[in-house]
Amino acid sequence: ELKVEQNPLFLSMQEGKNYTIYCNYSTTSDRLYWYRQDPGKSLESLFVLLSNGAVKQEGRLMASLDTKARLSTLHITAAVHDLSATYFCAVVLTSGSRLTFGEGTQLTVNP
Amino acid sequence: DAGVIQSPRHEVTEMGQEVTLRCKPISGHDYLFWYRQTMMRGLELLIYFNNNVPIDDSGMPEDRFSAKMPNASFSTLKIQPSEPRDSAVYFCASRDGPGTEAFFGQGTRLTVV
């Protein structure tokens, strides 16, 4: 059974600081997705990572994938309050289509 | 495209009643997923369809839950009879092919009292 674990689950940080959220998964996969969810809202797709070594950047967020280590990271640069949300990673097995989500990381950026 | 459309947005029902949640996927998408989100269990995949055919329903909690996709533009998730522990936000998502991201609807917040 595929397990997806995020670390940390809760993150409180100051504006202007950098931090990294980690996503580990237990079984071979070469497709990983990052989503953002604001309170009471739906999930918004941020990044699609489809191969080992893939790196995507959008604004202050950068995501990367290391399929050999079964690890993805979401790096936040110079955080701003608008980035406060819950961030989910989701993994699809190489052999399947089922999208399995991590527990989510609740990020709070304080002024 | 208007995105994935779910209805209703909110549903409050009494225990024992039948509840039907509806989803219209993005046109042309051949995968449709139903997820349930709760504080305790996070995002759980209930069932997914490919080309209207149920592929994996191992996440459906029990026989009280059923899902159908009669055509490419419509799916339902039915709970009968409903119980308070079914209270959650139910999301529908669709995607175009196995390598693309899934797009989520706004969700249905279900409260069973």
Side-chain angles (χ1 to χ4, degrees), chain B residues 4-42:
Chain B
V4 177
I5 299 173
Q6 291 184 246
S7 63
R9 291 291 307 278
H10 302 273
E11 176 82 35
V12 180
T13 191
E14 291 186 346
M15 182 174 63
Q17 297 298 306
E18 177 180 298
V19 175
T20 299
L21 311 182
R22 296 172 175 80
C23 175
K24 181 182 187 312
I26 293 172
S27 176
H29 283 193
D30 54 357
Y31 286 87
L32 184 139
F33 302 83
W34 282 101
Y35 284 88
R36 177 171 70 177
Q37 186 176 36
T38 60
M39 289 294 291
M40 290 296 294
R41 301 174 70 92

Short mmCIF file of all heavy atoms in Angstrom, two decimals, chain B residues 4-42:
data_model
loop_
_atom_site.label_atom_id
_atom_site.label_comp_id
_atom_site.label_asym_id
_atom_site.label_seq_id
_atom_site.Cartn_x
_atom_site.Cartn_y
_atom_site.Cartn_z
N VAL B 4 -14.74 21.74 -12.75
CA VAL B 4 -15.54 20.66 -12.19
C VAL B 4 -16.67 21.29 -11.36
O VAL B 4 -16.41 22.15 -10.51
CB VAL B 4 -14.68 19.74 -11.32
CG1 VAL B 4 -15.55 18.66 -10.68
CG2 VAL B 4 -13.55 19.12 -12.13
N ILE B 5 -17.88 20.86 -11.63
CA ILE B 5 -19.03 21.46 -10.96
C ILE B 5 -19.69 20.43 -10.06
O ILE B 5 -20.04 19.33 -10.52
CB ILE B 5 -20.06 21.99 -11.98
CG1 ILE B 5 -19.41 23.07 -12.85
CG2 ILE B 5 -21.29 22.56 -11.26
CD1 ILE B 5 -20.26 23.54 -13.99
N GLN B 6 -19.84 20.79 -8.79
CA GLN B 6 -20.49 19.90 -7.84
C GLN B 6 -21.75 20.55 -7.30
O GLN B 6 -21.83 21.76 -7.15
CB GLN B 6 -19.55 19.60 -6.66
CG GLN B 6 -18.37 18.74 -7.02
CD GLN B 6 -17.53 18.37 -5.80
OE1 GLN B 6 -16.38 18.79 -5.67
NE2 GLN B 6 -18.11 17.58 -4.91
N SER B 7 -22.72 19.72 -6.99
CA SER B 7 -23.93 20.21 -6.33
C SER B 7 -24.48 19.14 -5.40
O SER B 7 -24.27 17.94 -5.64
CB SER B 7 -24.99 20.59 -7.37
OG SER B 7 -25.40 19.44 -8.11
N PRO B 8 -25.12 19.55 -4.32
CA PRO B 8 -25.18 20.92 -3.83
C PRO B 8 -23.86 21.34 -3.19
O PRO B 8 -22.98 20.51 -3.00
CB PRO B 8 -26.30 20.84 -2.79
CG PRO B 8 -26.19 19.45 -2.24
CD PRO B 8 -25.78 18.59 -3.40
N ARG B 9 -23.71 22.59 -2.83
CA ARG B 9 -22.51 23.04 -2.14
C ARG B 9 -22.58 22.70 -0.66
O ARG B 9 -21.56 22.42 -0.02
CB ARG B 9 -22.34 24.55 -2.31
CG ARG B 9 -22.01 24.99 -3.72
CD ARG B 9 -20.60 24.55 -4.13
NE ARG B 9 -19.58 24.97 -3.19
CZ ARG B 9 -19.04 26.18 -3.17
NH1 ARG B 9 -19.41 27.09 -4.04
NH2 ARG B 9 -18.10 26.48 -2.27
N HIS B 10 -23.78 22.74 -0.13
CA HIS B 10 -24.00 22.40 1.28
C HIS B 10 -25.24 21.52 1.37
O HIS B 10 -26.21 21.73 0.64
CB HIS B 10 -24.22 23.65 2.13
CG HIS B 10 -23.09 24.63 2.07
ND1 HIS B 10 -22.00 24.56 2.90
CD2 HIS B 10 -22.89 25.69 1.26
CE1 HIS B 10 -21.17 25.55 2.61
NE2 HIS B 10 -21.68 26.25 1.63
N GLU B 11 -25.18 20.54 2.26
CA GLU B 11 -26.31 19.65 2.47
C GLU B 11 -26.39 19.32 3.95
O GLU B 11 -25.41 18.85 4.53
CB GLU B 11 -26.14 18.38 1.64
CG GLU B 11 -27.22 17.34 1.85
CD GLU B 11 -28.46 17.61 1.02
OE1 GLU B 11 -28.30 18.13 -0.10
OE2 GLU B 11 -29.57 17.33 1.50
N VAL B 12 -27.54 19.57 4.52
CA VAL B 12 -27.79 19.18 5.91
C VAL B 12 -28.96 18.21 5.88
O VAL B 12 -30.01 18.52 5.32
CB VAL B 12 -28.13 20.39 6.80
CG1 VAL B 12 -28.37 19.93 8.24
CG2 VAL B 12 -27.00 21.42 6.77
N THR B 13 -28.77 17.06 6.46
CA THR B 13 -29.81 16.04 6.42
C THR B 13 -29.88 15.31 7.74
O THR B 13 -28.95 15.36 8.55
CB THR B 13 -29.54 15.05 5.28
OG1 THR B 13 -30.68 14.22 5.08
CG2 THR B 13 -28.33 14.17 5.58
N GLU B 14 -30.97 14.65 7.95
CA GLU B 14 -31.13 13.88 9.18
C GLU B 14 -30.62 12.46 9.00
O GLU B 14 -30.72 11.89 7.91
CB GLU B 14 -32.61 13.87 9.59
CG GLU B 14 -33.10 15.23 10.05
CD GLU B 14 -34.53 15.15 10.60
OE1 GLU B 14 -35.20 14.13 10.38
OE2 GLU B 14 -34.95 16.13 11.24
N MET B 15 -30.14 11.92 10.08
CA MET B 15 -29.66 10.55 10.06
C MET B 15 -30.73 9.61 9.50
O MET B 15 -31.93 9.75 9.83
CB MET B 15 -29.32 10.14 11.50
CG MET B 15 -28.76 8.75 11.64
SD MET B 15 -28.22 8.41 13.33
CE MET B 15 -29.74 8.55 14.22
N GLY B 16 -30.30 8.73 8.63
CA GLY B 16 -31.23 7.77 8.04
C GLY B 16 -31.73 8.17 6.67
O GLY B 16 -32.28 7.33 5.94
N GLN B 17 -31.58 9.43 6.32
CA GLN B 17 -32.04 9.90 5.01
C GLN B 17 -31.04 9.55 3.93
O GLN B 17 -29.84 9.35 4.16
CB GLN B 17 -32.26 11.41 5.04
CG GLN B 17 -33.34 11.87 6.00
CD GLN B 17 -34.70 11.32 5.62
OE1 GLN B 17 -35.15 11.48 4.50
NE2 GLN B 17 -35.35 10.64 6.57
N GLU B 18 -31.54 9.52 2.71
CA GLU B 18 -30.68 9.30 1.54
C GLU B 18 -30.11 10.64 1.08
O GLU B 18 -30.82 11.65 1.06
CB GLU B 18 -31.49 8.67 0.42
CG GLU B 18 -30.71 8.48 -0.87
CD GLU B 18 -31.55 7.84 -1.96
OE1 GLU B 18 -32.00 6.71 -1.78
OE2 GLU B 18 -31.74 8.50 -3.00
N VAL B 19 -28.83 10.61 0.73
CA VAL B 19 -28.16 11.82 0.24
C VAL B 19 -27.54 11.50 -1.12
O VAL B 19 -26.89 10.45 -1.28
CB VAL B 19 -27.04 12.26 1.21
CG1 VAL B 19 -26.27 13.42 0.64
CG2 VAL B 19 -27.62 12.59 2.57
N THR B 20 -27.71 12.40 -2.07
CA THR B 20 -27.09 12.23 -3.39
C THR B 20 -26.27 13.46 -3.72
O THR B 20 -26.79 14.58 -3.74
CB THR B 20 -28.15 12.01 -4.48
OG1 THR B 20 -28.89 10.82 -4.18
CG2 THR B 20 -27.48 11.85 -5.84
N LEU B 21 -25.00 13.23 -3.99
CA LEU B 21 -24.09 14.29 -4.38
C LEU B 21 -23.82 14.15 -5.87
O LEU B 21 -23.71 13.03 -6.39
CB LEU B 21 -22.77 14.18 -3.61
CG LEU B 21 -22.89 14.03 -2.08
CD1 LEU B 21 -21.52 13.98 -1.46
CD2 LEU B 21 -23.74 15.11 -1.48
N ARG B 22 -23.70 15.29 -6.54
CA ARG B 22 -23.58 15.28 -8.00
C ARG B 22 -22.30 15.96 -8.47
O ARG B 22 -21.82 16.90 -7.81
CB ARG B 22 -24.79 15.96 -8.61
CG ARG B 22 -26.09 15.24 -8.33
CD ARG B 22 -27.30 16.02 -8.79
NE ARG B 22 -28.52 15.24 -8.60
CZ ARG B 22 -29.16 15.09 -7.45
NH1 ARG B 22 -28.70 15.67 -6.36
NH2 ARG B 22 -30.24 14.36 -7.39
N CYS B 23 -21.81 15.50 -9.61
CA CYS B 23 -20.56 16.04 -10.13
C CYS B 23 -20.61 16.05 -11.66
O CYS B 23 -20.99 15.06 -12.29
CB CYS B 23 -19.38 15.20 -9.68
SG CYS B 23 -17.79 15.71 -10.38
N LYS B 24 -20.18 17.18 -12.21
CA LYS B 24 -20.00 17.30 -13.66
C LYS B 24 -18.52 17.54 -13.90
O LYS B 24 -17.99 18.60 -13.55
CB LYS B 24 -20.83 18.45 -14.21
CG LYS B 24 -20.73 18.63 -15.71
CD LYS B 24 -21.56 19.82 -16.16
CE LYS B 24 -21.66 19.97 -17.66
NZ LYS B 24 -20.39 19.86 -18.38
N PRO B 25 -17.81 16.59 -14.51
CA PRO B 25 -16.37 16.78 -14.72
C PRO B 25 -16.10 17.77 -15.85
O PRO B 25 -17.02 18.17 -16.57
CB PRO B 25 -15.89 15.38 -15.10
CG PRO B 25 -17.08 14.75 -15.75
CD PRO B 25 -18.27 15.30 -15.02
N ILE B 26 -14.85 18.13 -16.00
CA ILE B 26 -14.44 18.98 -17.11
C ILE B 26 -14.61 18.19 -18.41
O ILE B 26 -14.24 17.01 -18.48
CB ILE B 26 -12.99 19.45 -16.94
CG1 ILE B 26 -12.90 20.40 -15.73
CG2 ILE B 26 -12.46 20.13 -18.19
CD1 ILE B 26 -11.50 20.78 -15.34
N SER B 27 -15.17 18.83 -19.40
CA SER B 27 -15.43 18.17 -20.67
C SER B 27 -14.14 17.62 -21.27
O SER B 27 -13.12 18.31 -21.33
CB SER B 27 -16.06 19.18 -21.64
OG SER B 27 -16.25 18.60 -22.91
N GLY B 28 -14.19 16.35 -21.68
CA GLY B 28 -13.02 15.73 -22.29
C GLY B 28 -12.15 14.97 -21.32
O GLY B 28 -11.27 14.20 -21.74
N HIS B 29 -12.36 15.16 -20.05
CA HIS B 29 -11.57 14.43 -19.05
C HIS B 29 -12.11 13.01 -18.93
O HIS B 29 -13.32 12.81 -18.82
CB HIS B 29 -11.63 15.13 -17.70
CG HIS B 29 -10.74 16.33 -17.62
ND1 HIS B 29 -10.44 16.96 -16.42
CD2 HIS B 29 -10.08 17.01 -18.59
CE1 HIS B 29 -9.63 17.97 -16.66
NE2 HIS B 29 -9.40 18.03 -17.97
N ASP B 30 -11.19 12.04 -18.89
CA ASP B 30 -11.65 10.65 -18.88
C ASP B 30 -11.47 9.98 -17.52
O ASP B 30 -11.79 8.80 -17.37
CB ASP B 30 -10.97 9.84 -19.98
CG ASP B 30 -9.45 9.93 -19.93
OD1 ASP B 30 -8.92 10.68 -19.07
OD2 ASP B 30 -8.79 9.27 -20.75
N TYR B 31 -10.93 10.71 -16.53
CA TYR B 31 -10.85 10.18 -15.17
C TYR B 31 -11.70 11.04 -14.24
O TYR B 31 -11.65 12.28 -14.31
CB TYR B 31 -9.40 10.20 -14.65
CG TYR B 31 -8.50 9.16 -15.25
CD1 TYR B 31 -7.83 9.40 -16.44
CD2 TYR B 31 -8.29 7.94 -14.61
CE1 TYR B 31 -6.98 8.45 -16.99
CE2 TYR B 31 -7.45 6.98 -15.15
CZ TYR B 31 -6.81 7.24 -16.34
OH TYR B 31 -5.97 6.30 -16.88
N LEU B 32 -12.43 10.38 -13.35
CA LEU B 32 -13.21 11.10 -12.35
C LEU B 32 -12.99 10.44 -11.00
O LEU B 32 -13.02 9.21 -10.88
CB LEU B 32 -14.70 11.09 -12.70
CG LEU B 32 -15.59 11.90 -11.77
CD1 LEU B 32 -16.65 12.67 -12.55
CD2 LEU B 32 -16.21 11.06 -10.68
N PHE B 33 -12.73 11.29 -10.00
CA PHE B 33 -12.42 10.81 -8.65
C PHE B 33 -13.42 11.39 -7.67
O PHE B 33 -13.81 12.56 -7.76
CB PHE B 33 -11.02 11.28 -8.23
CG PHE B 33 -9.91 10.84 -9.15
CD1 PHE B 33 -9.63 11.56 -10.31
CD2 PHE B 33 -9.14 9.73 -8.86
CE1 PHE B 33 -8.60 11.16 -11.17
CE2 PHE B 33 -8.11 9.33 -9.71
CZ PHE B 33 -7.85 10.04 -10.85
N TRP B 34 -13.77 10.63 -6.66
CA TRP B 34 -14.53 11.11 -5.51
C TRP B 34 -13.65 10.97 -4.26
O TRP B 34 -13.14 9.87 -3.96
CB TRP B 34 -15.82 10.30 -5.29
CG TRP B 34 -16.94 10.65 -6.21
CD1 TRP B 34 -17.35 9.97 -7.32
CD2 TRP B 34 -17.83 11.76 -6.07
NE1 TRP B 34 -18.43 10.59 -7.87
CE2 TRP B 34 -18.76 11.68 -7.13
CE3 TRP B 34 -17.95 12.81 -5.15
CZ2 TRP B 34 -19.78 12.62 -7.31
CZ3 TRP B 34 -18.97 13.73 -5.33
CH2 TRP B 34 -19.87 13.64 -6.39
N TYR B 35 -13.46 12.10 -3.56
CA TYR B 35 -12.68 12.13 -2.32
C TYR B 35 -13.57 12.62 -1.18
O TYR B 35 -14.53 13.36 -1.38
CB TYR B 35 -11.50 13.11 -2.43
CG TYR B 35 -10.34 12.60 -3.24
CD1 TYR B 35 -10.29 12.81 -4.61
CD2 TYR B 35 -9.29 11.92 -2.63
CE1 TYR B 35 -9.22 12.35 -5.35
CE2 TYR B 35 -8.21 11.45 -3.37
CZ TYR B 35 -8.19 11.69 -4.73
OH TYR B 35 -7.13 11.22 -5.46
N ARG B 36 -13.19 12.22 0.03
CA ARG B 36 -13.83 12.70 1.24
C ARG B 36 -12.74 13.33 2.10
O ARG B 36 -11.65 12.75 2.25
CB ARG B 36 -14.51 11.55 1.99
CG ARG B 36 -15.14 11.94 3.29
CD ARG B 36 -15.99 10.81 3.86
NE ARG B 36 -15.19 9.69 4.32
CZ ARG B 36 -15.71 8.61 4.92
NH1 ARG B 36 -17.02 8.54 5.09
NH2 ARG B 36 -14.94 7.64 5.32
N GLN B 37 -13.03 14.50 2.66
CA GLN B 37 -12.05 15.17 3.52
C GLN B 37 -12.63 15.42 4.90
O GLN B 37 -13.69 16.03 5.04
CB GLN B 37 -11.61 16.50 2.90
CG GLN B 37 -10.47 17.17 3.69
CD GLN B 37 -9.97 18.45 3.03
OE1 GLN B 37 -10.71 19.21 2.45
NE2 GLN B 37 -8.65 18.67 3.10
N THR B 38 -11.92 14.94 5.91
CA THR B 38 -12.27 15.20 7.30
C THR B 38 -11.02 15.60 8.05
O THR B 38 -9.89 15.32 7.60
CB THR B 38 -12.88 13.97 7.99
OG1 THR B 38 -11.91 12.90 7.96
CG2 THR B 38 -14.15 13.49 7.30
N MET B 39 -11.19 16.22 9.19
CA MET B 39 -10.04 16.60 10.01
C MET B 39 -9.29 15.37 10.47
O MET B 39 -8.06 15.35 10.50
CB MET B 39 -10.51 17.42 11.21
CG MET B 39 -10.98 18.81 10.88
SD MET B 39 -9.65 19.84 10.28
CE MET B 39 -8.68 20.01 11.76
N MET B 40 -10.03 14.34 10.83
CA MET B 40 -9.40 13.16 11.42
C MET B 40 -8.66 12.31 10.38
O MET B 40 -7.59 11.77 10.66
CB MET B 40 -10.46 12.29 12.11
CG MET B 40 -11.02 12.91 13.36
SD MET B 40 -9.77 13.11 14.63
CE MET B 40 -9.39 11.41 15.01
N ARG B 41 -9.21 12.19 9.19
CA ARG B 41 -8.69 11.23 8.21
C ARG B 41 -8.08 11.88 6.98
O ARG B 41 -7.58 11.16 6.09
CB ARG B 41 -9.80 10.25 7.82
CG ARG B 41 -10.37 9.47 9.00
CD ARG B 41 -11.57 8.64 8.57
NE ARG B 41 -11.15 7.53 7.73
CZ ARG B 41 -10.85 6.33 8.17
NH1 ARG B 41 -10.91 6.07 9.48
NH2 ARG B 41 -10.49 5.37 7.35
N GLY B 42 -8.15 13.20 6.91
CA GLY B 42 -7.56 13.88 5.76
C GLY B 42 -8.35 13.61 4.50
O GLY B 42 -9.57 13.45 4.53
#
